[in-house]
Amino acid sequence: MQPLHPEPTSRRPVWTWAGAAAGLALALTMFLNTRAPNTPSAASRPATETFMVSGAVVLGDGTSFTRDDRGGCAGTGAHADVVDGALVLITTTGGFAGGTLTDPQTLADGTCRFSFSAPRVPAGQDAYLVMVADQDPRQYTEQELTGPSVILRVD
């Protein structure tokens, strides 16, 4: 016999992520349009130039994640949405790009680390807002995001 009410799932529907992305894009556009005009170097780049952001998302506080018996991990409490498959969204006035968290690992230094890669990030922007899962977005420069391996701490 099946229950009348299905068990709630912990995964958020796709429309939730789409709404979050649209809201973040709108907020970023409004924020950047109130700032000073683009610098000459940013304005001289072609609008179609992009770059890839690759790196890791780290939960370093032992109370912000749990370990599993296979060496993996997942966020807990306020970081419960930082899990394998969660969205990484990079938003600019020139557009947005995204990727997903993969390969969760508990490291010997007591941290939980996820890999991610976000291709086709618009280049030449004054600011980049990066949102991991449903965590608060943080602002970065292009230089900070183009290093050999970007480390984003979310705790």
Side-chain angles (χ1 to χ4, degrees):
M1 184 168 180
Q2 293 182 343
L4 293 176
H5 301 287
E7 291 292 321
T9 62
S10 63
R11 300 210 61 119
R12 289 182 173 82
V14 172
W15 61 265
T16 302
W17 294 112
L24 184 61
L26 178 62
L28 177 67
T29 301
M30 291 183 340
F31 172 74
L32 292 177
N33 283 337
T34 61
R35 297 185 60 186
N38 289 343
T39 61
S41 63
S44 66
R45 282 198 172 162
T48 58
E49 190 174 337
T50 63
F51 63 97
M52 179 179 290
V53 178
S54 295
V57 170
V58 176
L59 290 168
D61 176 5
T63 62
S64 63
F65 67 92
T66 60
R67 297 168 173 85
D68 65 25
D69 58 353
R70 298 179 312 271
C73 54
T76 60
H79 300 94
D81 52 348
V82 181
V83 295
D84 191 21
L87 182 67
V88 176
L89 182 65
I90 302 173
T91 309
T92 71
T93 57
F96 64 92
T100 56
L101 297 180
T102 61
D103 193 28
Q105 298 177 348
T106 303
L107 302 180
D109 64 0
T111 61
C112 174
R113 182 182 179 121
F114 297 85
S115 298
F116 79 96
S117 184
R120 298 181 299 282
V121 177
Q125 306 298 305
D126 288 334
Y128 295 82
L129 284 181
V130 179
M131 183 172 69
V132 176
D134 277 340
Q135 301 298 302
D136 291 333
R138 295 184 184 172
Q139 185 173 328
Y140 295 88
T141 65
E142 184 172 333
Q143 184 178 5
E144 291 172 313
L145 296 177
T146 55
S149 183
V150 177
I151 306 296
L152 304 175
R153 290 194 67 107
V154 293
D155 56 357

